[in-house]
Amino acid sequence: MMAADPEKTLVLDEPMNAVFDWSDDETPVRDALWDYYMENNNHNTIETEETMKPLLDQSDDEIKALAEKLLKK
């Protein structure tokens, strides 16, 4: 059995609807967050990239909490 790749945050790569019971969106969490940040900073790709970078070091629980706070309607 191989160890999980520490570079890969699983929740970021899961579809929204697999992570959250309140979502029927099949978009991966990473893309949903990217889209949210792009919408909220005048589609500034560089700024969105900078905002997303710290997420790569966060735990699945931190990512879930952030996504819930930002994306749950």
Side-chain angles (χ1 to χ4, degrees), residues 12-73:
L12 280 176
D13 298 317
E14 291 288 322
M16 288 289 291
N17 62 358
V19 178
F20 303 108
D21 56 9
W22 48 262
S23 178
D24 55 8
D25 189 350
E26 293 181 8
T27 304
V29 174
R30 176 191 315 267
D31 295 352
L33 285 168
W34 176 273
D35 293 345
Y36 171 85
Y37 287 128
M38 284 292 277
E39 285 300 314
N40 287 282
N41 68 19
N42 293 324
H43 298 268
N44 181 330
T45 306
I46 303 300
E47 191 177 311
T48 299
E49 213 170 76
E50 291 302 313
T51 304
M52 290 290 290
K53 262 187 199 153
L55 300 186
L56 299 176
D57 296 324
Q58 291 183 358
S59 71
D60 284 353
D61 287 341
E62 290 171 310
I63 300 287
K64 280 190 212 172
L66 177 69
E68 190 142 330
K69 184 175 97 179
L70 298 178
L71 305 175
K72 188 172 183 181
K73 293 179 177 65

